[in-house]
Amino acid sequence: SAITEDVCVGDFDGNGDVDGADLATLLGAWGTNDPAFDLNGSGTVDGADLATLLGAWGPCNDNPPLD
């Protein structure tokens, strides 16, 4: 499915859940500067982004989007 603007942070595959598939995607981008996976905008996909993803774990309707 296509990723849309209302998908919650960390739901890279747009399936409505932040889950293992999204974790695998983030880890695949680890250490890069890919803005699609740099959730905090620091310039590097790293532990802070992992913490953001884990904080959003579960169904997206339970997780408000980041401002």
Side-chain angles (χ1 to χ4, degrees):
S1 66
I3 295 176
T4 60
E5 291 298 315
D6 61 350
V7 172
C8 67
V9 88
D11 181 21
F12 300 123
D13 61 8
N15 72 348
D17 289 296
V18 178
D19 56 19
D22 302 305
L23 175 60
T25 300
L26 180 85
L27 294 177
W30 195 265
T32 71
N33 64 354
D34 189 331
F37 307 109
D38 180 16
L39 300 177
N40 68 347
S42 69
T44 304
V45 180
D46 58 14
D49 304 303
L50 176 60
T52 299
L53 182 133
L54 293 176
W57 197 266
C60 287
N61 59 2
D62 293 342
N63 303 310
L66 290 180
D67 293 328

